[in-house]
Coordinates of all heavy atoms in Angstrom, one line a residue:
Chain B
D177 N 98.2 136.6 32.1 CA 96.8 136.4 31.6 C 95.9 137.5 32.3 O 96.1 137.7 33.5 CB 96.3 135.0 32.1 CG 95.1 134.5 31.3 OD1 94.1 135.3 31.3 OD2 95.1 133.4 30.7
D178 N 95.0 138.0 31.6 CA 94.2 139.1 32.1 C 93.1 138.5 33.1 O 92.4 139.2 33.8 CB 93.5 140.0 31.1 CG 92.7 139.2 30.1 OD1 93.1 138.0 29.8 OD2 91.7 139.7 29.5
I182 N 92.3 132.2 35.6 CA 93.3 131.3 35.0 C 94.7 131.5 35.7 O 95.4 130.5 35.9 CB 93.4 131.7 33.5 CG1 92.1 131.4 32.7 CG2 94.6 131.0 32.8 CD1 91.7 129.9 32.8
A191 N 102.2 125.3 42.0 CA 102.5 125.1 43.4 C 102.5 123.6 43.7 O 103.3 123.0 44.4 CB 101.4 125.8 44.3
M193 N 103.4 121.4 41.7 CA 104.6 120.8 41.1 C 105.9 121.4 41.9 O 107.0 121.0 41.5 CB 104.8 121.2 39.7 CG 103.6 120.7 38.8 SD 103.7 121.4 37.1 CE 105.1 120.5 36.5
Y195 N 106.6 124.7 42.2 CA 107.2 125.9 41.6 C 106.4 127.2 42.2 O 105.2 127.1 42.3 CB 106.9 126.0 40.1 CG 107.8 125.0 39.3 CD1 107.2 124.0 38.7 CD2 109.2 125.2 39.2 CE1 108.0 123.1 38.0 CE2 110.0 124.3 38.5 CZ 109.4 123.3 37.9 OH 110.2 122.4 37.2
L198 N 104.9 133.5 39.5 CA 104.8 134.9 39.4 C 103.6 135.3 38.5 O 103.3 134.5 37.5 CB 106.0 135.6 38.9 CG 107.4 135.2 39.6 CD1 108.6 135.8 38.8 CD2 107.3 135.7 41.0
G203 N 100.4 142.3 29.2 CA 101.8 142.1 28.6 C 102.7 143.1 29.1 O 103.9 142.8 29.4
A206 N 104.0 142.1 32.4 CA 105.0 141.0 32.3 C 106.4 141.5 31.9 O 107.4 141.0 32.4 CB 104.4 140.0 31.2
E212 N 113.0 143.2 35.9 CA 113.6 143.1 37.3 C 113.9 141.6 37.7 O 114.8 141.4 38.5 CB 112.6 143.6 38.3 CG 112.4 145.1 38.2 CD 111.2 145.6 39.0 OE1 110.7 144.9 39.8 OE2 110.9 146.8 38.9
V217 N 113.0 133.5 36.2 CA 111.9 132.9 35.4 C 112.4 131.8 34.5 O 113.2 132.0 33.7 CB 111.2 134.0 34.6 CG1 110.1 133.4 33.7 CG2 110.6 135.1 35.5
L219 N 110.0 129.7 32.9 CA 109.0 129.4 31.9 C 107.9 130.5 31.9 O 107.5 130.9 33.0 CB 108.3 128.0 32.1 CG 107.1 127.7 31.2 CD1 107.6 127.5 29.8 CD2 106.4 126.4 31.7
W224 N 96.8 134.8 24.9 CA 96.9 135.5 23.6 C 96.1 136.8 23.7 O 96.6 137.9 23.4 CB 96.3 134.6 22.4 CG 96.7 135.2 21.1 CD1 96.2 136.4 20.5 CD2 97.5 134.6 20.1 NE1 96.7 136.5 19.3 CE2 97.5 135.5 19.0 CE3 98.3 133.4 20.0 CZ2 98.2 135.2 17.8 CZ3 99.0 133.2 18.9 CH2 99.0 134.1 17.8
M229 N 99.0 145.1 24.8 CA 99.7 144.2 24.0 C 99.1 142.8 24.0 O 98.7 142.3 25.0 CB 101.2 143.9 24.5 CG 102.1 145.1 24.4 SD 103.6 144.7 25.3 CE 104.5 143.9 23.9
L232 N 100.9 137.5 21.3 CA 101.9 137.4 20.2 C 102.9 138.6 20.3 O 104.2 138.3 20.1 CB 101.2 137.4 18.8 CG 102.1 137.2 17.6 CD1 102.8 135.8 17.7 CD2 101.4 137.4 16.3
V234 N 103.7 140.2 23.0 CA 104.6 140.0 24.2 C 105.7 138.9 23.8 O 106.8 139.1 24.1 CB 103.8 139.5 25.3 CG1 104.7 139.2 26.6 CG2 102.7 140.5 25.7
V238 N 109.7 139.4 23.9 CA 110.6 138.5 24.7 C 111.7 137.9 23.8 O 112.8 137.9 24.2 CB 109.7 137.4 25.4 CG1 110.6 136.3 26.0 CG2 108.8 137.9 26.5
D241 N 114.5 140.3 22.7 CA 115.5 140.8 23.7 C 116.5 139.7 24.1 O 116.1 138.7 24.6 CB 114.7 141.2 24.9 CG 115.5 142.1 25.9 OD1 116.6 141.7 26.3 OD2 115.0 143.2 26.3
R243 N 118.3 139.4 26.5 CA 118.3 139.0 27.9 C 117.3 137.9 28.3 O 117.4 137.2 29.2 CB 118.1 140.2 28.8 CG 119.1 141.3 28.7 CD 118.6 142.5 29.4 NE 117.4 143.0 28.8 CZ 116.6 144.0 29.3 NH1 116.9 144.4 30.5 NH2 115.5 144.4 28.7
V249 N 108.6 129.8 26.2 CA 107.3 130.4 26.3 C 106.2 129.4 25.8 O 106.4 128.9 24.7 CB 107.2 131.7 25.5 CG1 105.7 132.3 25.5 CG2 108.2 132.8 25.9
E255 N 92.4 130.5 21.8 CA 92.5 130.5 20.3 C 93.2 129.2 19.9 O 94.4 129.0 20.0 CB 93.4 131.7 19.9 CG 92.8 133.1 20.2 CD 91.6 133.4 19.4 OE1 91.2 132.6 18.5 OE2 91.1 134.5 19.6
I261 N 98.4 129.0 16.0 CA 99.4 128.0 16.5 C 100.7 128.2 15.6 O 101.8 128.4 16.2 CB 99.0 126.6 16.4 CG1 97.7 126.4 17.3 CG2 100.1 125.6 16.8 CD1 97.1 125.1 17.2
K275 N 92.8 126.4 26.1 CA 91.8 126.4 27.2 C 90.5 125.8 26.6 O 90.2 126.2 25.5 CB 91.5 127.7 27.8 CG 92.7 128.5 28.3 CD 92.2 129.9 28.6 CE 93.4 130.9 28.8 NZ 93.0 132.3 29.0
I286 N 103.9 121.6 31.3 CA 104.9 122.4 32.0 C 106.2 121.6 32.1 O 107.3 122.1 31.9 CB 104.4 122.9 33.4 CG1 103.3 124.0 33.2 CG2 105.6 123.5 34.2 CD1 102.6 124.4 34.5

Side-chain angles (χ1 to χ4, degrees):
Chain B
D177 199 306
D178 57 327
I182 294 298
M193 300 172 71
Y195 290 112
L198 307 173
E212 294 174 5
V217 177
L219 175 66
W224 193 296
M229 293 176 85
L232 184 65
V234 177
V238 168
D241 193 309
R243 297 169 300 164
V249 178
E255 298 288 359
I261 298 171
K275 304 172 194 173
I286 288 173

